[in-house]
């Protein structure tokens, strides 16, 4: 088993190198969502060709003002002292040219990890980004396109609403742990957006699964879902039980319950 694991680890492709960036502006989109705009010469050449893509954000994890650049060991990024750096993955909400600016929307959910950094960040602070990761190729013939996500997926859903063809029927369901986490989304002429407050005690993704179960999914339907890992896995299982081919679905785990801090 150990030899097989070592072979799998050796096959992991090294992610793009980190680019140093500086915090330029901070904009609160709501009480629980903060947009941080980054600038820096290292952003030159960064290209994001598809919506709902990803970048890794590296922030200082040692109390210093500058993030320590980690090294790829063939399986993961590690700091020179062997510890895991403070890295999280986010949707690059906007990438603007001349000079290059990158917007990341970060959910504020506590004082630990990247959320804690985002709560206390100031213009001029340093960080680093790596990417992009894979995005989503919108099928122009989707009918309808069903979008499912929680707070962590709101930036990606907003981006998809901006690029999906106007003729496409879009059905979006968004689950939030707090009612105040709802924000205004980009308009789409053929979209319906339903917000769901997750009842206290329910597992993440429960209201999304119920909403999906009530949606008719014909041959032309496509489903994009993202959020808590176990929650979206239940969505994946439900789609399989309904006979929806995996080629018509994109299901991504953005976070895990109980996982906080470095990683």
């Amino acid at each position: 088993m150990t030899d097989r694991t070592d072979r799998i680890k050796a096959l992991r492709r090294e992610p793009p190198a980190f680019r140093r960036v500086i915090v330029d502006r901070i904009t609160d989109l709501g009480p629980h969502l903060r947009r941080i705009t980054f600038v820096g010469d290292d952003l030159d050449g960064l290209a994001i060709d598809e919506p709902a893509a990803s970048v890794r954000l590296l922030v200082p994890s040692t109390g210093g003002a500058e993030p320590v650049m980690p090294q790829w060991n063939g399986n993961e990024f590690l700091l020179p002292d062997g510890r895991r750096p403070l890295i999280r993955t986010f949707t690059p909400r906007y990438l603007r040219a001349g000079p290059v600016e990158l917007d990341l929307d970060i959910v504020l959910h506590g004082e630990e990890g990247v959320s804690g950094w985002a709560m206390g960040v100031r213009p001029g602070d340093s960080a680093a980004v790596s990417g992009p990761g894979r995005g989503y190729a919108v099928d122009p013939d989707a009918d309808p396109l069903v979008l499912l996500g929680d707070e962590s997926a709101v930036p990606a859903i907003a981006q998809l609403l901006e690029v999906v063809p106007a003729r496409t029927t879009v059905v979006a369901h968004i689950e939030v742990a707090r009612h105040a986490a709802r924000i205004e989304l980009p308009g789409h002429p053929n979209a319906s957006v339903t917000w769901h407050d997750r009842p206290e005690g329910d597992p993440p993704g429960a209201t999304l699964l119920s909403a999906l179960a009530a949606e008719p999914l014909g041959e032309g339907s496509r489903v994009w879902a993202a959020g808590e890992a176990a929650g979206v896995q239940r969505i994946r299982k439900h789609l399989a039980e309904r006979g929806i081919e995996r080629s018509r679905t994109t299901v991504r785990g953005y976070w895990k319950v109980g996982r906080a801090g470095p990683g």
Side-chain angles (χ1 to χ4, degrees), residues 209 211-218 237-245:
L209 183 58
L212 177 62
E215 289 290 344
L217 299 176
K237 180 180 178 182
H238 172 81
L239 291 168
E241 290 172 346
R242 290 179 66 173
I244 308 300
E245 299 91 340

Side-chain angles (χ1 to χ4, degrees), residues 20-23 38 58-60 65-67 117 121-122 124-128:
R20 292 186 180 274
V21 292
I22 301 295
V23 175
F38 297 94
L58 167 70
V59 302
E66 294 275 346
W117 175 84
V121 72
R122 297 289 183 271
D125 289 354
S126 297

Side-chain angles (χ1 to χ4, degrees), residues 57-259:
L57 174 65
L58 167 70
V59 302
S61 55
T62 58
E66 294 275 346
V68 177
M69 290 297 168
Q71 298 296 316
W72 181 252
N73 70 354
N75 180 54
E76 62 180 340
F77 284 109
L78 293 176
L79 295 172
D81 60 9
R83 291 182 301 114
R84 299 175 71 187
L86 192 51
I87 298 173
R88 287 291 181 268
T89 303
F90 295 95
T91 299
R93 185 64 182 90
Y94 292 110
L95 180 66
R96 293 178 294 274
V100 181
E101 295 183 336
L102 173 67
D103 290 346
L104 299 184
D105 295 351
I106 300 177
V107 177
L108 305 178
H109 56 81
E111 297 182 358
E112 295 185 357
V114 173
S115 171
W117 175 84
M119 291 174 67
V121 72
R122 297 289 183 271
D125 289 354
S126 297
V129 296
S130 168
R134 59 177 179 164
Y136 179 68
V138 176
D139 185 344
D141 296 322
D143 183 29
L145 173 61
V146 179
L147 306 176
L148 307 162
D150 59 17
E151 292 102 325
S152 67
V154 167
I157 290 175
Q159 209 167 57
L160 289 169
L161 289 171
E162 291 175 336
V163 301
V164 170
R167 67 178 183 276
T168 300
T169 299
V170 181
V171 179
H173 293 279
I174 305 173
E175 177 184 283
V176 292
R178 316 170 188 86
H179 188 85
R182 303 181 182 206
I183 66 168
E184 185 175 354
L185 293 173
H188 184 283
N190 208 14
S192 66
V193 178
T194 304
W195 294 85
H196 303 268
D197 294 333
R198 185 170 75 242
E200 185 174 354
D202 279 10
T207 65
L208 297 177
L209 183 58
S210 296
L212 177 62
E215 289 290 344
L217 299 176
E219 291 185 2
S221 61
R222 300 292 184 271
V223 178
W224 181 94
E228 197 278 325
V232 296
Q233 183 60 31
R234 289 188 287 271
I235 287 173
R236 187 194 302 276
K237 180 180 178 182
H238 172 81
L239 291 168
E241 290 172 346
R242 290 179 66 173
I244 308 300
E245 299 91 340
R246 293 194 68 167
S247 61
R248 294 164 52 196
T249 70
T250 298
V251 181
R252 296 175 179 171
Y254 277 2
W255 62 283
K256 293 183 179 181
V257 169
R259 181 177 179 182

